[in-house]
């Protein structure tokens, strides 16, 4: 019994582990420049009104540049979008294309709105994607101290969680059209050492990308309906 417990402990040491992938953690992102917020900013936030038109230009910033193509595709599929501009990390954070680590230069929503305004965009979308994985073992791991069984036994369990947060704001006045919060979780049980963790991550991202597009389409529809109702009400009272 002692040998089995030792083997299980040994295998767990080798097989257990986890990782977190969150590009935004490496960037000094201060959502609204908290050190500069005053009562006037609060008043302006209350007074801000939606200005979404039937056709509008979008600028977006994704903390994970490798997802830009997918994010842009999701945005372009929203009815009414005329043009899409990806804010480059170089002008947003000072990060060069081949830098291994992001710059520590502060980044705020106000700065991103200014960069979007320079591109004559009406709407700004900020997207944050991250995922984390955890690998554990089952009782079969006690047999993995032997080389051959370790190659074929389904002794691993992989848990992957992915999340997307997207903030949609008006470039001109900072009005928030919406915050999209999405997450996915998959648990693959009885996996061998050949289990493809990256395939699970990719599958979750594809699902999140589709949900992000659907959420952005819904936001645009709700804003248009709210605007139209307001116009009808104004005409009725006049």
């Amino acid at each position: 019994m002692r040998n089995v417990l030792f083997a299980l402990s040994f295998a767990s040491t080798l097989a257990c582990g986890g990782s977190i992938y969150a590009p935004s953690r490496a960037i000094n992102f201060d959502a609204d420049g908290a050190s500069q917020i005053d009562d006037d900013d609060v008043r302006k936030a209350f007074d801000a009104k939606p200005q979404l038109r039937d056709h509008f230009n979008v600028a977006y910033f994704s903390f994970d540049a490798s997802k830009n193509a997918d994010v842009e595709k999701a945005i372009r599929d929203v009815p009414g979008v005329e043009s899409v501009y990806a804010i480059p990390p170089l002008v947003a954070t000072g990060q060069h294309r081949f830098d291994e680590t992001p710059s520590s230069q502060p980044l705020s929503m106000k700065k991103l709105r200014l960069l979007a305004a320079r591109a004559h965009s009406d709407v700004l979308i900020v997207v944050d994607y991250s995922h984390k994985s955890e690998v554990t073992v089952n009782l079969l791991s006690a047999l993995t101290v032997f080389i051959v069984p370790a190659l074929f036994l389904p002794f691993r369990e992989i848990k992957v969680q992915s999340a997307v947060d997207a903030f949609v704001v008006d470039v001109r006045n900072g009005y928030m059209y919406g915050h999209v919060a999405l997450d996915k979780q998959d648990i693959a049980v009885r996996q061998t050492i050949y289990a493809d963790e990256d395939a699970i991550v990719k599958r979750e991202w594809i699902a999140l990308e589709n949900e992000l597009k659907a959420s952005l389409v819904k936001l645009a529809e709700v804003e248009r309906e709210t605007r139209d109702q307001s116009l009808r009400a104004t005409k009725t009272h006049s």
Side-chain angles (χ1 to χ4, degrees), residues 106-140:
L107 179 64
S108 68
M109 193 70 78
K110 286 184 178 180
K111 181 175 182 178
L112 290 174
R113 282 174 55 203
L114 175 60
L115 295 173
R118 288 174 178 170
H120 297 279
S121 299
D122 306 295
V123 176
L124 168 67
I125 301 178
V126 181
V127 180
D128 182 34
Y129 163 72
S130 61
H131 66 77
K132 68 176 182 177
S133 60
E134 180 182 359
V135 180
T136 57
V137 297
N138 55 38
L139 293 177
L140 290 176

Side-chain angles (χ1 to χ4, degrees), residues 31-141:
D32 287 302
S35 61
Q36 302 174 4
I37 293 176
D38 54 24
D39 289 344
D40 190 50
D41 290 312
V42 176
R43 180 187 59 77
K44 290 179 180 178
F46 270 107
D47 293 340
K49 303 297 180 184
Q51 303 183 71
L52 195 65
R53 302 172 300 175
D54 287 333
H55 301 282
F56 51 94
N57 301 320
V58 177
Y60 75 92
F61 179 79
S62 174
F63 287 99
D64 185 351
S66 69
K67 297 292 185 291
N68 275 13
D70 294 334
V71 170
E72 184 162 327
K73 182 178 182 300
I75 295 173
R76 288 188 181 277
D77 286 342
V78 176
V81 172
E82 288 194 333
S83 68
V84 181
Y85 170 66
I87 299 176
L90 181 61
V91 297
T93 65
Q95 180 184 0
H96 297 275
R97 184 172 299 185
F98 299 114
D99 285 350
E100 293 183 0
T101 57
S103 168
S104 59
Q105 181 178 331
L107 179 64
S108 68
M109 193 70 78
K110 286 184 178 180
K111 181 175 182 178
L112 290 174
R113 282 174 55 203
L114 175 60
L115 295 173
R118 288 174 178 170
H120 297 279
S121 299
D122 306 295
V123 176
L124 168 67
I125 301 178
V126 181
V127 180
D128 182 34
Y129 163 72
S130 61
H131 66 77
K132 68 176 182 177
S133 60
E134 180 182 359
V135 180
T136 57
V137 297
N138 55 38
L139 293 177
L140 290 176
S141 61

Side-chain angles (χ1 to χ4, degrees), residues 2-238:
R2 180 179 300 175
N3 290 338
V4 172
L5 291 176
F6 173 77
L8 179 60
S9 175
F10 177 74
S12 298
T13 301
L14 292 178
C16 289
S19 62
I20 298 177
Y21 176 76
S24 59
R25 296 174 64 183
I27 296 177
N28 183 16
F29 182 63
D30 184 359
D32 287 302
S35 61
Q36 302 174 4
I37 293 176
D38 54 24
D39 289 344
D40 190 50
D41 290 312
V42 176
R43 180 187 59 77
K44 290 179 180 178
F46 270 107
D47 293 340
K49 303 297 180 184
Q51 303 183 71
L52 195 65
R53 302 172 300 175
D54 287 333
H55 301 282
F56 51 94
N57 301 320
V58 177
Y60 75 92
F61 179 79
S62 174
F63 287 99
D64 185 351
S66 69
K67 297 292 185 291
N68 275 13
D70 294 334
V71 170
E72 184 162 327
K73 182 178 182 300
I75 295 173
R76 288 188 181 277
D77 286 342
V78 176
V81 172
E82 288 194 333
S83 68
V84 181
Y85 170 66
I87 299 176
L90 181 61
V91 297
T93 65
Q95 180 184 0
H96 297 275
R97 184 172 299 185
F98 299 114
D99 285 350
E100 293 183 0
T101 57
S103 168
S104 59
Q105 181 178 331
L107 179 64
S108 68
M109 193 70 78
K110 286 184 178 180
K111 181 175 182 178
L112 290 174
R113 282 174 55 203
L114 175 60
L115 295 173
R118 288 174 178 170
H120 297 279
S121 299
D122 306 295
V123 176
L124 168 67
I125 301 178
V126 181
V127 180
D128 182 34
Y129 163 72
S130 61
H131 66 77
K132 68 176 182 177
S133 60
E134 180 182 359
V135 180
T136 57
V137 297
N138 55 38
L139 293 177
L140 290 176
S141 61
L143 302 176
T144 59
V145 292
F146 306 105
I147 296 177
V148 174
L151 297 177
F152 303 102
L153 284 174
F155 69 97
R156 302 169 76 233
E157 295 186 357
I158 304 173
K159 178 181 179 181
V160 177
Q161 294 175 278
S162 302
V164 166
D165 281 284
F167 296 89
V168 185
V169 301
D170 191 277
V171 172
R172 291 176 177 81
N173 59 18
Y175 176 86
M176 181 176 289
Y177 291 108
H179 168 213
V180 178
L182 307 169
D183 61 86
K184 288 290 180 185
Q185 176 177 302
D186 285 296
I187 300 178
V189 299
R190 300 179 64 82
Q191 301 294 302
T192 68
I193 60 173
Y194 305 106
D196 191 350
E197 181 180 328
D198 291 338
I200 301 176
V201 172
K202 183 178 180 179
R203 184 170 66 245
E204 290 187 348
W205 164 249
I206 292 174
L208 289 172
E209 178 194 352
N210 290 330
E211 289 189 17
L212 175 62
K213 180 179 70 174
S215 297
L216 294 177
V217 170
K218 185 64 176 179
L219 276 177
E221 290 176 348
V222 169
E223 285 300 325
R224 287 195 182 95
E225 180 60 27
T226 301
R227 180 200 61 189
D228 293 344
Q229 288 179 355
S230 178
L231 289 174
R232 287 194 294 266
T234 301
K235 290 181 180 179
T236 300
H237 291 305
S238 62

